[in-house]
Amino acid sequence: MALLEIENLGIGFGGLQAVAGFNFSLNQGELVGLIGPNGAGKTTVFNIVTGVYRPTAGDVRLEGKSIAGMKPFRVNRLGIARTFQNIRLFGGLSVLDNVLIGFNQSVAHGFLGTVVRSRRQQLEERMHEQEAIDLLRTFDLLGRLDDPARTLAYGPQRRLEIARALATRPKILMLDEPAAGMNPQEKMELMELIGAVRRKFHVGIWLIEHDMKLVMSICERITVLDHGETIAAGTPQQVQDNPKVIEAYLGKAEV
Amino acid sequence: MEAQQAPTATMLHRNQVPAWIMNVALVIVIAVLWPISVAFDKYLDSYVLDVLIRIGVAIILAVSLNLINGITGQFSLGHAGFMALGAYTGGVLLKHYQNQIPGELLPATFIGVTILGGVVASAAGLIVGIPTLRLSGDYLAIATLGFGEIIAVVLNQIDSIGKFEVGGSAGLHNIPHITNFFWTYAWVVICVVVIARLVYSAKGKPFFAVREDEIAAAAMGIDTTYYKVAAFVIGAFFAGVAGVLSATLSGNLDPGDFNFVKSIVIVVMVVLGGSGSITGSVLAAILLTYLPEQLRAFEDWRLVIYALLLIVMMLVRPEGLLGNRELWWTRKRLAFPEE
Amino acid sequence: MHVFLQELINGLSIGAVYALIALGYTMVYGVLKLINFAHGDVYMVGAVIAYELAVKAVAARSPIWVTLPVIFLGAMGGCAILGFVIEYLCYRPLRHRPRLVALITAIGVSLLLENLFQNRLVFGATPRILPELLPIRPALSWAVGSEKAPVVVTNLDLISMGLCLAMMAVLSWFVLRTKMGLALRAVSFRVDTASLMGINTNRVISMTFVLGSALAAVAGVVDAMRYQVDPLMGLIPGIKAFIAAVLGGIGSIPGALLGGLLMGLVETLLKGYLPAQYNNYSNAAAFVVLILILLVRPSGLLGKTTVEKV
């Protein structure tokens, strides 16, 4: 049984069928890509899986249990974390706080403990802070711990978003265009970072990306979406050579 | 360029006073309030004491509203409604029973009644908070305004509930004067400490997250509705407590005291102090209760000045006195060596 | 049946006034996404101007066909200027700030106007009644069934409903058929893009305020003649008109008309049919209506929903 299974997923908005007949599976520790031209429905698929939208057809199963239509916070608590195409950090909060918020589900002490600052509460907070610091070190963000997240440069902001997602201790990490707007140097570092994250945290990673070089080089498998439908799926080599994929991106070849 | 020593969480708190010492200090502070209160009752001019107590009530109102509006980002314009519920709960019960119970009122009873006032108000907070699932921003503001007005109108119509006199449009009078400096400031300490400790802790960060970005908060596993409702419930509780204190200070209650204007006055305190800043709310509450006393001569123009103050403030410094920082924050909390 | 018809007419007459005020709320919200809390007080200023002009007119013994237009136009002009000034001084500087800041400022302006006019030097808190300009007489009437008293439409009802319809017609023509109106609609959709397309958004927004305030002035004059004038008279009608705008779909002009008429009808019918002791609950009832709309169908009857992109 795969970690994440998507079966015949579909969603329509009014008259528009944004996604139809989408099938997919992700196993423990895999790194898989989702690509397609703009407007193909990739973020929509992410939104359905993470509970932002409710599908009109099909099912999503995490570890065998159906999660279609669940509220986003429940989906996260069950083990799926994501980043957003347009970065959604908690801008007014510090870098450290952004990551600490990721630990909110792992808080065992209660209201009373918080108010009287019990021993247990103090210990738990220290523990989480240490984990957060370690996480931020992995992402090379330690120098800006106290700064409001919105003051970070673009690249560090994207990294912070990934760090924050990891703080929720997910089984699956879904990254929506993490390399968007980065220069080649930053993209290289991001690639290494994603690889390191996979090794260190044993998460399955599902990636939406436009940068073909990046996708082809790190993903084990790729699914290609166009106008809401899957037009190809397979290894990077298979996808690259697929004429339908070429056509979707570049248009029909002139005769 | 490795750090000399790996940064740890303990380094973040190396200058911090241990929690248990703070707890002991707080108990001492509250205990010390009692003799101070007795002394004030004896020697302090009663007008000055009255102002001090009203400042205390204002602090509780501002800090409790700040939790809802400033920290959690839910624009509530009906805080006076919660205060009214607490005030009437306390006023009605205390007036009714003062005739039944001969002799002095036990402190425990007063604590009980005050908490009950808070609980009644927080029940209303629960009712108001639940629709926040569907509403936000302007619409929430109007809906909370509506709740506040509904409560005021209903209180205006009720003359009595069973054997308990409520007063209706004539108001409720001759409520026993129980509040003094001690009770007020004990509750001020409790309110500020509880809210500050809650909010600046692991359990409290989600409140800020809800304000900053609800969608991201949900994606991080935060039940945003729970936190929004919790903000309303806790905020309403303390508003109810403030209501009981206020009712037993003046001895009189009139439904017209708890209308939209009252809610606005509290909102002005929160905004002036800085939405999201607890210390800001405290400062603004003190300022905005004290200043009108100095401007007694301009009674006619008091609200005009208030309104102008509000407009000018929004135009010139909308983030208020302290923005969303606290007075006790230092420039740089930590100094990790640069990596 | 007789009671019902009479209440129906009364309801439409009152509703027309709500609709006029609601138009101002809905237009401003459409372009600025701001609830102009001060709008109800502009209506009040219109009534006050009407009072002052009426007093002078009666003293000068001017004929009714001069007085009425002068009062209406005077109030409209005065309020138009007031609306323009409020936008220019208080809302325009905050155009790029978070919306909450503008909302609080609007509350401040509202409080300012109310308390300024309550001051003895300006108007005073005691309500005043307009000197009688127009004896309120039945203009149309017809008998229904076997009732002795006929169902009556007074001249004031006619003025109220007539003006409302006329204003609606002019406004609709303006919004749908003129270039300025097109600009208005463009700005309602997207302020930044409209500005990039060469539209002078500042002028469009000012004009929105000017128009809305003029309409509120008309409502103020009508109510000054119907009831009395006092500095707090804008509170309740303002809230009810706002609820009407939300009911009809905030941002929608036909919605404001529909919402206003509905609010007027509901209010009069409730007052007519419920026992007198529940009269004071009508204000609370208006709020209950609002909260229900916001929960069940926040886009209102004729409005459209917007979705946030994730």
Side-chain angles (χ1 to χ4, degrees):
Chain A
M1 181 187 65
L3 187 56
L4 179 70
E5 271 170 355
I6 302 179
E7 192 181 310
N8 202 31
L9 196 69
I11 191 169
F13 295 104
L16 174 71
Q17 194 66 21
V19 174
F22 185 76
N23 293 295
F24 180 81
S25 68
L26 182 76
N27 297 302
Q28 188 95 29
E30 274 195 298
L31 214 185
V32 181
L34 181 64
I35 65 173
N38 275 323
K42 310 186 290 294
T43 302
T44 309
V45 167
F46 266 31
N47 284 342
I48 299 173
V49 171
T50 54
V52 176
Y53 298 148
R54 166 174 250 136
T56 50
D59 197 17
V60 181
R61 283 188 293 273
L62 180 66
E63 294 180 314
K65 184 174 158 185
S66 173
I67 62 169
M70 271 192 186
K71 287 211 170 121
F73 79 90
R74 282 206 200 288
V75 172
N76 179 255
R77 289 185 186 185
L78 287 173
I80 298 180
R82 72 170 294 178
T83 63
F84 294 89
Q85 197 172 3
N86 309 314
I87 305 176
R88 282 187 178 256
L89 286 172
F90 302 123
L93 301 184
S94 71
V95 166
L96 181 62
D97 278 338
N98 268 270
V99 175
L100 282 175
I101 285 184
F103 290 114
N104 72 84
Q105 309 153 38
S106 332
V107 173
H109 62 265
F111 177 76
L112 196 60
T114 300
V115 167
V116 303
R117 294 276 192 258
S118 65
R119 216 134 242 307
R120 186 173 177 198
Q121 188 257 358
Q122 300 281 78
L123 283 171
E124 261 198 318
E125 291 220 351
R126 294 278 181 281
M127 203 175 73
H128 286 151
E129 278 173 358
Q130 190 57 50
E131 259 193 80
I133 291 174
D134 293 334
L135 203 53
L136 287 169
R137 185 191 297 112
T138 309
F139 283 80
D140 193 26
L141 288 166
L142 267 185
R144 314 287 305 271
L145 263 183
D146 254 352
D147 296 340
R150 73 169 95 86
T151 61
L152 258 56
Y154 191 79
Q157 275 194 2
R158 282 231 173 257
R159 292 205 304 271
L160 178 57
E161 222 195 355
I162 302 176
R164 184 184 64 175
L166 278 173
T168 62
R169 305 203 179 125
K171 302 178 177 109
I172 297 175
L173 186 61
M174 292 168 61
L175 304 175
D176 196 343
E177 299 196 34
M182 286 186 174
N183 64 45
Q185 169 75 8
E186 287 172 323
K187 286 189 189 182
M188 278 259 302
E189 290 168 356
L190 181 71
M191 268 167 52
E192 285 167 20
L193 187 60
I194 293 179
V197 161
R198 182 165 58 140
R199 283 190 303 276
K200 189 168 175 191
F201 296 97
H202 309 294
V203 286
I205 300 182
W206 195 9
L207 188 65
I208 292 178
E209 244 315 314
H210 274 297
D211 183 326
M212 285 302 129
K213 205 171 79 160
L214 194 151
V215 168
M216 298 294 167
S217 63
I218 59 174
C219 294
E220 295 161 6
R221 283 187 293 121
I222 301 176
T223 309
V224 188
L225 217 56
D226 187 25
H227 288 96
E229 291 179 352
T230 312
I231 58 173
T235 65
Q237 193 59 49
Q238 290 171 331
V239 163
Q240 250 173 347
D241 295 336
N242 189 316
K244 279 201 273 188
V245 174
I246 300 172
E247 184 184 319
Y249 273 98
L250 299 175
K252 263 204 168 73
E254 290 286 302
V255 174
Chain B
M1 275 202 300
E2 279 295 309
Q4 284 177 309
Q5 37 172 177
T8 61
T10 14
M11 283 169 74
L12 290 178
H13 300 276
R14 62 187 182 285
N15 289 331
Q16 206 174 41
V17 175
W20 70 269
I21 294 184
M22 282 300 290
N23 287 349
V24 169
L26 285 169
V27 171
I28 293 177
V29 163
I30 292 184
V32 159
L33 284 174
W34 177 251
I36 294 180
S37 178
V38 170
F40 277 178
D41 273 335
K42 262 213 201 122
Y43 301 114
L44 201 61
D45 175 48
S46 63
Y47 169 71
V48 172
L49 186 58
D50 186 76
V51 171
L52 277 177
I53 295 179
R54 282 193 288 118
I55 287 179
V57 171
I59 293 177
I60 299 176
L61 287 168
V63 170
S64 59
L65 182 64
N66 192 20
L67 176 64
I68 302 174
N69 285 20
I71 292 172
T72 317
Q74 305 302 298
F75 195 24
S76 167
L77 280 180
H79 215 52
F82 300 136
M83 185 186 180
L85 286 172
Y88 270 86
T89 305
V92 166
L93 286 175
L94 286 169
K95 175 169 183 181
H96 183 81
Y97 283 112
Q98 73 171 340
N99 304 317
Q100 331 280 69
I101 302 173
E104 292 262 324
L105 186 73
L106 287 174
T109 318
F110 187 51
I111 295 175
V113 169
T114 311
I115 292 180
L116 186 63
V119 167
V120 170
S122 60
L126 184 67
I127 296 173
V128 172
I130 287 178
T132 62
L133 179 63
R134 304 282 303 262
L135 302 173
S136 61
D138 307 338
Y139 288 155
L140 182 64
I142 298 292
T144 50
L145 171 64
F147 269 111
E149 290 297 298
I150 290 173
I151 290 174
V153 165
V154 167
L155 282 171
N156 208 29
Q157 298 298 105
I158 300 179
D159 289 319
S160 62
I161 302 176
K163 286 186 308 195
F164 296 89
E165 180 198 347
V166 176
S169 53
L172 192 64
H173 306 280
N174 298 319
I175 301 170
H177 296 262
I178 308 175
T179 295
N180 59 18
F181 184 83
F182 168 71
W183 288 121
T184 313
Y185 280 86
W187 276 109
V188 166
V189 169
I190 293 174
C191 173
V192 171
V193 168
V194 166
I195 291 182
R197 281 186 164 182
L198 174 64
V199 154
Y200 292 114
S201 72
K203 266 225 145 357
K205 292 204 200 305
F207 287 113
F208 292 102
V210 166
R211 177 189 75 191
E212 293 288 312
D213 191 324
E214 271 192 63
I215 291 176
M220 296 298 121
I222 295 172
D223 184 351
T224 52
T225 306
Y226 173 82
Y227 273 89
K228 287 194 260 186
V229 171
F232 269 98
V233 166
I234 299 172
F237 175 80
F238 285 109
V241 165
V244 175
L245 292 171
S246 175
T248 49
L249 172 69
S250 64
N252 293 308
L253 282 179
D254 187 295
D257 292 335
F258 301 103
N259 60 8
F260 171 60
V261 175
K262 179 86 186 166
S263 290
I264 287 294
V265 165
I266 310 173
V267 169
V268 172
M269 287 182 198
V270 170
V271 172
L272 175 65
S275 268
S277 168
I278 296 176
T279 36
S281 298
V282 172
L283 286 175
I286 296 174
L287 256 162
L288 288 176
T289 315
Y290 173 69
L291 279 181
E293 297 301 318
Q294 298 303 101
L295 295 171
R296 279 269 149 181
F298 303 103
E299 183 58 43
D300 280 351
W301 297 95
R302 189 169 64 101
L303 283 172
V304 173
I305 295 173
Y306 233 79
L308 278 171
L309 178 68
L310 188 56
I311 297 172
V312 166
M313 207 178 37
M314 286 296 105
L315 288 171
V316 164
R317 196 181 157 88
E319 68 270 21
L321 287 172
L322 290 176
N324 60 1
R325 298 181 54 78
E326 299 290 351
L327 209 55
W328 67 71
W329 287 359
T330 48
R331 262 264 32 121
K332 202 85 173 104
R333 220 163 34 112
L334 355 132
F336 281 171
E338 288 295 323
E339 291 240 325
Chain C
M1 187 53 170
H2 168 270
V3 172
F4 178 75
L5 279 178
Q6 185 65 62
E7 302 292 19
L8 198 69
I9 292 169
N10 294 344
L12 287 174
S13 180
I14 294 177
V17 168
Y18 289 150
L20 285 169
I21 307 174
L23 281 167
Y25 278 117
T26 222
M27 285 199 298
V28 166
Y29 193 86
V31 293
L32 281 185
K33 302 290 175 283
L34 168 73
I35 301 176
N36 184 9
F37 268 90
H39 192 57
D41 302 288
V42 171
Y43 150 94
M44 177 267 293
V45 172
V48 167
I49 295 176
Y51 173 83
E52 299 292 345
L53 288 177
V55 164
K56 288 192 173 44
V58 164
R61 294 176 195 275
S62 64
I64 188 74
W65 51 269
V66 169
T67 323
L68 269 187
V70 164
I71 289 180
F72 271 102
L73 290 172
M76 285 169 78
C79 287
I81 295 174
L82 179 64
F84 177 83
V85 167
I86 292 175
E87 192 273 326
Y88 187 79
L89 288 180
C90 303
Y91 301 152
R92 190 177 298 188
L94 301 173
R95 198 75 65 75
H96 296 288
R97 298 276 196 177
R99 276 168 42 203
L100 220 56
V101 174
L103 194 66
I104 295 177
T105 311
I107 293 174
V109 174
S110 170
L111 276 179
L112 180 65
L113 286 172
E114 283 159 20
N115 288 290
L116 201 59
F117 277 79
Q118 281 190 318
N119 195 286
R120 257 173 283 119
L121 297 176
V122 181
F123 187 82
T126 9
R128 304 187 208 178
I129 302 183
L130 241 61
E132 198 189 62
L133 307 162
L134 189 71
I136 296 185
R137 263 199 297 263
L140 300 171
S141 64
W142 54 94
V144 175
S146 56
E147 291 291 331
K148 271 192 97 180
V151 170
V152 158
V153 178
T154 65
N155 42 13
L156 189 61
D157 288 334
L158 279 182
I159 291 177
S160 157
M161 292 189 274
L163 277 174
C164 175
L165 279 173
M167 295 292 155
M168 268 300 300
V170 168
L171 197 64
S172 298
W173 167 82
F174 180 79
V175 168
L176 293 173
R177 298 250 184 248
T178 64
K179 218 163 93 171
M180 251 309 201
L182 183 61
L184 181 73
R185 280 183 283 146
V187 173
S188 303
F189 271 106
R190 268 266 147 86
V191 179
D192 300 338
T193 318
S195 147
L196 287 172
M197 292 295 116
I199 294 177
N200 186 339
T201 46
N202 281 338
R203 201 184 295 169
V204 169
I205 293 175
S206 292
M207 195 192 49
T208 311
F209 273 83
V210 163
L211 283 176
S213 304
L215 292 171
V218 172
V221 174
V222 170
D223 271 358
M225 293 198 285
R226 201 204 304 268
Y227 306 120
Q228 59 192 23
V229 179
D230 80 87
L232 294 177
M233 69 188 282
L235 276 177
I236 310 270
I239 301 255
K240 287 186 178 162
F242 175 72
I243 297 174
V246 173
L247 175 62
I250 194 127
S252 156
I253 289 178
L257 177 64
L258 182 62
L261 292 176
L262 275 175
M263 284 297 285
L265 283 172
V266 168
E267 177 183 316
T268 349
L269 287 173
L270 278 178
K271 269 217 182 93
Y273 284 105
L274 285 179
Q277 70 206 80
Y278 292 112
N279 266 353
N280 289 330
Y281 282 108
S282 79
N283 295 339
F287 277 109
V288 173
V289 165
L290 174 70
I291 292 169
L292 284 175
I293 306 169
L294 291 178
L295 289 177
V296 170
R297 198 190 154 91
S299 54
L301 293 169
L302 300 178
K304 29 188 196 305
T305 37
T306 43
V307 187
E308 186 182 357
K309 183 163 162 67
V310 178

